[in-house]
């Protein structure tokens, strides 16, 4: 009887610890690695694309006109990296660009990289 109680208690502790490990693993998966952005149409994601084009225009002295974010992924670090693909007009021609925007813990956006046209 005592053995079966010890066995049941050990089994219960094992199950609880495994569920805790699974929850911790899910949290760790969010940290460090890139994950696809689920809702590209989200206004915040679109605003990051517009920010990237505007900052690029200031730095490169160009006149691209933001159209929309068409894809991307994010990475949670001490803030969030947004690796975005977007379209913008160069004159009358729509082109696809890649960009990396970092949002720090104070919610300030920083343009890290803006790739030339991928068309």
């Amino acid at each position: 009887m005592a053995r079966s109680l010890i066995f049941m208690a050990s089994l219960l502790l094992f199950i609880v610890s495994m569920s805790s490990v699974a929850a911790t693993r899910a949290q760790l998966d969010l940290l460090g690695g890139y994950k696809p952005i689920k809702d590209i149409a989200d206004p915040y994601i679109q605003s990051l694309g517009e920010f990237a084009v505007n900052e690029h225009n200031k730095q490169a002295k160009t006149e691209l006109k933001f159209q929309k974010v068409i894809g991307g992924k994010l990475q949670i670090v001490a803030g969030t990296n947004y690796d975005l693909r977007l379209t913008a007009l160069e004159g009358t021609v729509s082109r696809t660009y890649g960009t990396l925007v970092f949002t720090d813990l104070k919610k300030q956006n920083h343009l890290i990289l803006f790739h030339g046209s991928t068309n």
Side-chain angles (χ1 to χ4, degrees):
M1 175 83 168
R3 267 191 173 166
S4 61
L5 284 175
I6 291 172
F7 174 76
M8 293 300 279
S10 297
L11 183 59
L12 181 61
L13 283 173
F14 175 76
I15 291 169
V16 168
S17 68
M18 290 310 290
S19 65
S20 176
V21 166
T24 301
R25 175 167 266 158
Q27 290 169 344
L28 288 175
D29 283 346
L30 286 176
L31 298 172
Y34 275 93
K35 300 291 179 188
I37 296 172
K38 293 180 182 169
D39 184 9
I40 292 300
D42 180 288
Y44 179 70
I45 298 301
Q46 293 298 315
S47 74
L48 290 173
E50 186 170 16
F51 165 82
V53 170
N54 290 339
E55 285 298 304
H56 173 72
N57 283 340
K58 287 178 198 171
Q59 294 173 12
K61 300 193 182 346
T62 57
E63 295 182 15
L64 299 177
K65 292 193 181 4
F66 173 74
Q67 290 181 299
K68 65 181 176 179
V69 174
I70 58 173
K73 53 192 175 182
L74 61 85
Q75 177 189 39
I76 298 172
V77 288
T80 306
N81 284 318
Y82 294 91
D83 183 358
L84 305 173
R85 284 185 331 125
L86 57 86
T87 58
L89 287 175
E90 183 178 350
T92 59
V93 179
S94 180
R95 299 193 186 278
T96 303
Y97 297 88
T99 187
L100 181 63
V101 175
F102 173 67
T103 302
D104 65 26
L105 295 174
K106 294 179 181 178
K107 304 297 183 197
Q108 298 286 320
N109 295 326
H110 308 274
L111 180 63
I112 304 301
L113 187 62
F114 196 92
H115 306 270
S117 174
T118 59
N119 287 12

